[in-house]
Amino acid sequence: MDTVKSAARKVSEVVFPGIKISYGHKFTRKSEEVLSSLPLQMCLYFNANYSPLWILIRIGCLVYKFADLPQLYQILLTTVIVVMVIVEISRLYLGYVGNLTEKVPELAGFWLLTLFLQFPLQCLCTFSSDYIILPWERLTDAIMMLFLILEIFIGYFTVKTITNHQALKFKLQMMKSNSTNISTETFLE
C-alpha cells in the first residue's frame, strides 16, 4: 500500500508541480484559502455574455420608438441608456477583477455600482409607464433584473467574506511583524 501512495505522490508532483500531497491532516491553511465566489463568477459570466444582446435590443427599441416619445423622454431615455451601458461595462469588469483576484476595492466597487446605479436605472426603465415599453424590452429587462438581483445578494456575501479574510490576513501579518520586531529588539539589547 505504501508503494501505491508513493507512486501516486511522485506522479502528482510531476503532473502538478508545487503541490505536496499530505495524508492524515488538512491540506489548506486558512490564510491560503481561495475565496473567489463561484456563484458570483457564474452570474458575472452569464451576464457578460447576455449584456451585448441586452444593449442591442435596448438601442434597437430606442430607435424604433424614438419618434413616438415626447422630447423630454427622448433626452431622458437616451441619457439613461448611455449611462446604463457605461455602468454595465465598468461594473462587469470590476466584478471579474474583484472576484478572481480577491481584491476588496474592485469587488466593493462592483457591488456599489450594481446596487446604487444599475439596479435603480434598470427599475426605472423596466417599470416606468411613461416610456413606451415594448415586449422585447420587457423580456430582456426581466432577465437583466434577475441577474442584478442575484449579483446584489451573492455579491454582498462575497464582499463580506473576502473583507473578513483580508482583515484576518492583515492582523496575522501585523502580529508576525510585531513579534519579529520584538525578537530583533531583544537580540540587539
Side-chain angles (χ1 to χ4, degrees), residues 53-68:
L53 176 68
W54 172 77
I55 290 169
L56 288 175
I57 289 176
R58 265 279 170 209
I59 292 172
C61 288
L62 177 66
V63 169
Y64 179 76
K65 66 183 179 182
F66 195 77
D68 296 334

Side-chain angles (χ1 to χ4, degrees), residues 61-89:
C61 288
L62 177 66
V63 169
Y64 179 76
K65 66 183 179 182
F66 195 77
D68 296 334
L69 292 170
Q71 185 177 8
L72 176 67
Y73 290 118
Q74 289 175 350
I75 295 169
L76 186 61
L77 192 57
T78 305
T79 305
V80 166
I81 289 175
V82 167
V83 169
M84 285 176 71
V85 168
I86 292 169
V87 169
E88 182 70 12
I89 292 168

Side-chain angles (χ1 to χ4, degrees), residues 31-145:
S31 64
E32 296 174 2
E33 186 177 346
V34 176
L35 295 174
S36 295
S37 171
L38 180 62
L40 180 62
Q41 194 62 36
M42 290 172 59
C43 285
L44 289 170
Y45 174 78
F46 290 122
N47 193 353
N49 287 320
Y50 177 72
S51 289
L53 176 68
W54 172 77
I55 290 169
L56 288 175
I57 289 176
R58 265 279 170 209
I59 292 172
C61 288
L62 177 66
V63 169
Y64 179 76
K65 66 183 179 182
F66 195 77
D68 296 334
L69 292 170
Q71 185 177 8
L72 176 67
Y73 290 118
Q74 289 175 350
I75 295 169
L76 186 61
L77 192 57
T78 305
T79 305
V80 166
I81 289 175
V82 167
V83 169
M84 285 176 71
V85 168
I86 292 169
V87 169
E88 182 70 12
I89 292 168
S90 59
R91 186 180 75 80
L92 290 174
Y93 173 75
L94 288 173
Y96 261 92
V97 171
N99 190 37
L100 291 178
T101 60
E102 298 178 9
K103 292 185 178 176
V104 175
E106 285 85 351
L107 197 56
F110 154 76
W111 189 76
L112 290 172
L113 282 175
T114 303
L115 183 64
F116 293 119
L117 275 178
Q118 194 70 7
F119 186 70
L121 290 174
Q122 188 67 42
C123 286
L124 175 72
C125 289
T126 303
F127 301 119
S128 178
S129 60
D130 295 331
Y131 306 125
I132 302 167
I133 300 175
L134 301 174
W136 282 102
E137 280 180 312
R138 193 169 302 279
L139 176 66
T140 56
D141 287 345
I143 295 170
M144 184 58 82
M145 288 291 285

